[in-house]
Amino acid sequence: MLNSSNPTFFGFLDNNPSNESQLAAIISSMAADDGNVTYTHNSENVHLSAGQCASAKIFQEEALTVLCFGNPNSVQQDSARESSSDDIANSIAKAYLSGSKTFLSDASGEFLVAILDEKKNEIVVAVDRFSRQQVYYSTIGNGLVFSDSLECLLRHPKIQRTVRPQAIYDYLYFHMVPAPGTIYQDIHKLPAGSYFKFSANTNRCEVTRYWAPEFNELSGSVEQLRTDLVPALRSAVDKACKGRDYTK
């Protein structure tokens, strides 16, 4: 998982930006405790940061920036050819520019994606199909704050720590607080297979589900399905472990 004791990724968009000293204090308080930030974007009303542990793939062209964390597989490419870590951010950028609401429907694997479109004055943040990477977000007046760490999000001075009563019931009943809710009022967790798009022009945050599971029964004899099971499991585990060292 990207999440650790320190935030990997955080940002905020505010149409009523603070002065420079207040902005610096916010960034400092939200940043990783060790101070390691490998990517930072600052404009008049947008801040976006990625911590050192993220190893983000980055695409930048004119007013478009794409940050990709984790280990995503191909995005709208020939399924016979997997994307490399070098071109995955570029592939996501092309898919986003196509204008389709399901531009991430072909993406699989474990990932978190952030897209900053300064021409449209909007930001898009997506999580993978099973939300193995998590994103929390909250509106702040005419803006939005987001992070992969709830603790990091709470460091922003405009975020209120008001406990949501329904979340207490959810936790006691489900032993968890299901997305899109969290324990706090007005702080949301992005559901699996979804992305949010926040427009600074309209001050609206819209959540779109780009992927839903399909359940198709396979035909064939029990013997044949049994024979196919082990190779399928091995292939799935190999893809899930790509780029990770689980021996430590």
Side-chain angles (χ1 to χ4, degrees), residues 24-92:
I26 293 171
I27 295 171
S28 176
S29 67
M30 294 185 73
D33 294 336
D34 57 12
N36 289 321
V37 176
T38 56
Y39 173 84
T40 299
H41 172 93
N42 272 314
S43 60
E44 182 179 358
N45 60 353
V46 178
H47 178 84
L48 187 64
S49 288
Q52 187 173 28
C53 61
S55 301
K57 293 85 176 177
I58 302 174
F59 170 88
Q60 288 181 293
E61 185 174 285
E62 297 180 352
L64 184 68
T65 300
V66 175
L67 298 180
C68 181
F69 310 90
N71 296 287
N73 295 324
S74 60
V75 179
Q76 294 188 355
Q77 292 189 356
D78 183 353
S79 60
R81 182 176 66 87
E82 291 188 356
S83 301
S84 70
S85 60
D86 296 330
D87 67 10
I88 188 64
N90 183 31
S91 299
I92 292 172

Side-chain angles (χ1 to χ4, degrees), residues 2 13 35 41 78 104 121 129 132 158 166 170 181 209 217 246:
L2 288 178
L13 188 153
H41 172 93
D78 183 353
L104 285 170
N121 206 18
R129 296 178 178 183
R132 285 173 289 182
K158 292 186 179 181
Q166 178 63 39
D170 290 343
R209 186 166 188 172
E217 291 190 15
Y246 288 97

Side-chain angles (χ1 to χ4, degrees), residues 9-29:
F9 156 79
F10 69 88
F12 51 88
L13 188 153
D14 194 343
N15 284 328
N16 295 316
S18 307
N19 60 45
E20 290 187 6
S21 61
Q22 289 176 324
L23 185 64
I26 293 171
I27 295 171
S28 176
S29 67

Side-chain angles (χ1 to χ4, degrees), residues 103-116:
F103 70 96
L104 285 170
S105 61
D106 289 340
S108 60
E110 180 182 354
F111 65 84
L112 185 162
V113 170
I115 302 171
L116 177 61

Side-chain angles (χ1 to χ4, degrees), residues 193-220:
S194 303
Y195 65 83
F196 71 69
K197 178 186 292 184
F198 180 83
S199 171
N201 298 325
T202 62
N203 295 324
R204 291 184 60 188
C205 184
E206 298 181 349
V207 176
T208 300
R209 186 166 188 172
Y210 66 82
W211 178 84
E214 295 181 2
F215 300 95
N216 299 315
E217 291 190 15
L218 299 176
S219 59

Side-chain angles (χ1 to χ4, degrees), residues 157-193:
K158 292 186 179 181
I159 296 294
Q160 302 296 317
R161 301 190 181 206
T162 303
V163 173
R164 186 168 62 94
Q166 178 63 39
I168 299 175
Y169 174 84
D170 290 343
Y171 183 79
L172 293 175
Y173 188 84
F174 297 112
H175 303 284
M176 61 172 292
V177 180
T182 68
I183 190 66
Y184 295 107
Q185 191 77 36
D186 300 323
I187 297 179
H188 311 286
K189 180 180 176 181
L190 190 59

